[in-house]
Amino acid sequence: MGANILKQFQMKDDHEIEMIPIEKIVFNKYNYFSMDEGRVEALCDEILTHGFKSAIEVREISNDMYELIAGETRTRALLKAYDRTKDQKYLMVPAYVSNMSDDEAHERLIIDELLKRNHTSYEKMRAVEELQDLYRKRKKEERIPGRIQWMIAESLSMKKSQVGTYQKVSSKASDAVKEKLRREEISVESAALLADLPQDKQDEFIADSKNYRKQDIEDFKNLQAAVMNVSEKQLKFDEAGTFVEEEISAEPLPKRHIGDIVKDLYKTLEELEVKISMIEFKDELILLREIKKECDALSDMLGVQ
């Protein structure tokens, strides 16, 4: 590696390529994607056998220092080759030197990672989140037409419906659901189903369930819908003096003076006393009259007529 490999790359591409010491390259702070150590090992073996075949991409961030944009696996494979052989040639790497902005480098890293190899659903969700922020900023600054979802789908070679699923989980799923997704214990489709529920109900399902199949989630959602549709009711006397049910209003009760409340309570007790006397609930009648006495005493204390 050295002048010959540099000449080989220059002949293949018109872009500027430099041989850069690995010690002058910093790994990209935005690269949260998991590193496949098996791929690093395999690439290291290939480099030791056939040489380094593909230039990485960097951008200059200060005098003589560069940030990695694309090629972290290749760079780590070179470092591993040096660790095995202690050959100094593996500490120099051919690199395209780009003049990208922070946002352009961030976007390129995400797209390069997502397109070149498989990633977990959680990592794809993170990628969609970050591209969404980058494209929203770009649309505002450059007035670019088109929907952000379509722009992400095109960049990542995804269907718009797939992007929508990741966006839904990102914006609506609870932290507990996202953690299950990160651990690969739930599919992104199941996470999206749960995201239809309030976050406390999502957490309830995660805490109480041992598996997260779509059918189990659908059953839980249907149960929650049934519970929410049951209206709360109370018993009361109608004008004819018979018991009827009425729905309890969700409206807060108006503030009232305690004296008015006691008067209403006493009136209700008198009505109830008549009904109980008619059907001869003797024990209940005795208890009711004791309550009336307490109401009389409270009325006297309050000066209620």
Side-chain angles (χ1 to χ4, degrees):
M1 284 172 60
N4 289 337
I5 192 169
L6 181 58
K7 183 178 179 181
Q8 172 188 343
F9 281 110
Q10 294 284 20
M11 289 174 62
K12 283 187 173 183
D13 202 296
D14 292 333
H15 290 297
E16 182 182 358
I17 299 177
E18 300 178 20
M19 294 299 295
I20 299 175
I22 286 183
E23 65 182 15
K24 294 185 178 295
I25 297 173
V26 297
F27 292 111
N28 198 305
K29 64 183 179 181
Y30 292 115
N31 193 355
Y32 54 83
F33 296 100
S34 57
M35 182 59 58
D36 185 340
E37 290 300 328
R39 291 183 72 249
V40 174
E41 288 284 352
L43 187 54
C44 174
D45 292 338
E46 185 177 331
I47 290 170
L48 291 173
T49 304
H50 302 292
F52 193 79
K53 299 292 186 181
S54 179
I56 64 171
E57 187 170 3
V58 299
R59 65 179 185 133
E60 191 168 5
I61 53 175
S62 64
N63 289 337
D64 250 8
M65 291 301 294
Y66 301 85
E67 181 183 63
L68 191 61
I69 296 173
E72 182 166 336
T73 302
R74 284 166 281 167
T75 304
R76 292 189 184 278
L78 277 174
L79 287 170
K80 191 170 287 291
Y82 172 75
D83 287 340
R84 288 188 189 177
T85 65
K86 302 305 178 185
D87 190 330
Q88 294 288 321
K89 70 181 181 182
Y90 295 119
L91 295 182
M92 297 292 292
V93 57
Y96 296 96
V97 181
S98 300
N99 296 314
M100 291 186 178
S101 67
D102 289 349
D103 287 350
E104 287 171 337
H106 189 181
E107 177 186 4
R108 174 61 189 279
L109 167 69
I110 294 169
I111 293 173
D112 186 65
E113 277 289 334
L114 264 290
L115 293 182
K116 76 182 181 184
R117 61 190 179 96
N118 290 328
H119 285 283
T120 67
S121 292
Y122 181 81
E123 289 172 333
K124 291 176 182 177
M125 182 193 74
R126 287 281 306 275
V128 168
E129 282 178 348
E130 295 184 11
L131 284 182
Q132 181 173 270
D133 291 340
L134 288 170
Y135 291 166
R136 185 177 289 125
K137 179 180 178 183
R138 184 181 299 171
K139 280 179 67 70
K140 183 177 180 181
E141 292 176 350
E142 302 176 21
R143 299 185 180 279
I144 298 174
R147 294 182 60 188
I148 289 175
Q149 187 180 93
W150 180 87
M151 294 168 66
I152 296 171
E154 186 177 58
S155 295
L156 299 181
S157 297
M158 283 185 186
K159 294 180 180 178
K160 285 189 289 184
S161 58
Q162 286 179 292
V163 174
T165 298
Y166 286 115
Q167 288 174 317
K168 181 179 180 181
V169 175
S170 171
S171 62
K172 298 179 66 178
S174 71
D175 290 343
V177 174
K178 290 179 182 178
E179 179 60 17
K180 290 294 182 183
L181 186 67
R182 187 187 69 80
R183 295 182 183 181
E184 299 185 71
E185 295 175 7
I186 189 172
S187 70
V188 67
E189 292 80 13
S190 292
L193 280 177
L194 272 176
D196 289 328
L197 294 167
Q199 292 198 355
D200 61 328
K201 293 300 179 182
Q202 296 179 41
D203 292 345
E204 180 182 328
F205 179 85
I206 292 294
D208 294 343
S209 302
K210 294 183 179 180
N211 57 65
Y212 312 112
R213 296 174 303 184
K214 290 183 184 179
Q215 189 57 56
D216 294 325
I217 296 171
E218 289 286 7
D219 291 344
F220 182 76
K221 286 173 64 177
N222 291 336
L223 177 62
Q224 297 305 309
V227 170
M228 291 175 65
N229 287 332
V230 175
S231 58
E232 191 174 0
K233 297 183 178 180
Q234 64 182 353
L235 291 173
K236 65 170 288 185
F237 287 118
D238 65 6
E239 294 179 355
T242 57
F243 276 122
V244 295
E245 284 187 337
E246 71 170 5
E247 291 189 4
I248 297 176
S249 172
E251 296 293 327
L253 293 174
K255 291 184 178 179
R256 301 172 65 203
H257 187 273
I258 189 170
D260 294 329
I261 296 173
V262 172
K263 285 196 292 185
D264 287 348
L265 175 59
Y266 194 85
K267 180 180 178 182
T268 301
L269 290 171
E270 286 186 323
E271 292 175 351
L272 185 57
E273 183 177 9
V274 173
K275 302 300 177 185
I276 291 178
S277 297
M278 289 173 59
I279 55 180
E280 297 182 350
F281 286 139
K282 294 181 179 178
D283 292 339
E284 288 79 0
L285 184 59
I286 292 171
L287 180 59
L288 184 145
R289 286 172 176 167
E290 289 295 327
I291 296 173
K292 283 182 65 182
K293 288 180 182 178
E294 295 296 331
C295 283
D296 284 333
L298 183 56
S299 297
D300 291 340
M301 288 175 57
L302 296 172
V304 177
Q305 300 295 324

